[in-house]
């Protein structure tokens, strides 16, 4: 699988660990920054990663900030992005199976390396189930004011 990865300053310390983990498992990884832990704004890196994923069909993203909240909220403002804030292998697996998530998000201040490895494993090894979930996922792009009651 191909992954684009980005963080803010509060997720930066985990970035090299996650990149190495993905590469060890045979995945391709593109590092979209930042290149140090100077303070940055998570929406900038959420957008960078979202645009890369949207422009590269079949690719996925990983976004990390302090809690995972801000960076996932920002990424989800991009139509076509389904950024899932996950906390364990179960949520990571369900984000693929039911939500067809294309970006995995988590918080550096929330989860440890063991949980991260299990989330990445679950995310990579679970496919979208389609069927009734496709109808729901397709409705997400219609979730704008005035489009769905
Ligand atoms: C940065 O201090 C922190 O607010 C950010 O990384 C993230 O947790 C926001 O949701």
């Amino acid at each position: 699988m191909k992954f684009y990865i980005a963080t803010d300053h509060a997720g930066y310390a985990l970035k090299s660990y996650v990149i190495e983990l993905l590469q060890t498992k045979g995945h391709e990884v593109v590092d979209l920054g930042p290149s140090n832990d100077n303070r940055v704004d998570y929406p900038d890196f959420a957008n960078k990663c979202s645009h890369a994923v949207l422009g590269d069909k079949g690719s996925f993203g990983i976004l990390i900030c302090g809690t995972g909240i801000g960076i996932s909220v920002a990424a989800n403002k991009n139509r076509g992005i389904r950024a899932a804030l996950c906390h364990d292998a179960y949520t990571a697996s369900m984000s693929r199976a039911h939500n067809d998530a294309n970006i995995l998000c988590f918080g550096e201040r929330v989860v440890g390396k063991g949980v991260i490895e299990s989330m990445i494993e679950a995310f990579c090894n679970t496919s979208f189930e389609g069927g009734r979930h496709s109808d729901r996922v397709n409705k997400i792009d219609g979730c704008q004011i005035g489009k769905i009651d």
Side-chain angles (χ1 to χ4, degrees), residues 15 38 48:
K15 185 152 59 70
N38 292 346
K48 228 175 166 180

Side-chain angles (χ1 to χ4, degrees), residues 104-141:
L104 171 65
C105 305
F106 48 87
E108 180 179 305
R109 298 170 181 163
V110 182
V111 288
K113 289 183 176 174
V115 172
I116 290 168
E117 184 167 3
S118 68
M119 288 196 296
I120 288 174
E121 196 68 21
F123 190 86
C124 292
N125 291 328
T126 309
S127 301
F128 181 48
E129 287 177 9
R132 67 185 189 282
H133 302 295
S134 294
D135 301 337
R136 294 164 184 164
V137 166
N138 289 336
K139 277 192 177 183
I140 292 173
D141 284 341

Side-chain angles (χ1 to χ4, degrees), residues 7-11 39-40 42 64-73 106-110:
T7 73
D8 73 353
H9 53 286
R39 198 168 292 167
V40 291
Y42 55 78
I64 315 165
C65 68
T67 58
I69 297 171
I71 211 156
S72 57
V73 169
F106 48 87
E108 180 179 305
R109 298 170 181 163
V110 182

Side-chain angles (χ1 to χ4, degrees), residues 69-91:
I69 297 171
I71 211 156
S72 57
V73 169
N76 279 314
K77 296 293 179 188
N78 293 279
R79 181 182 286 228
I81 288 298
R82 292 174 298 281
L85 173 55
C86 297
H87 296 96
D88 47 37
Y90 178 72
T91 47

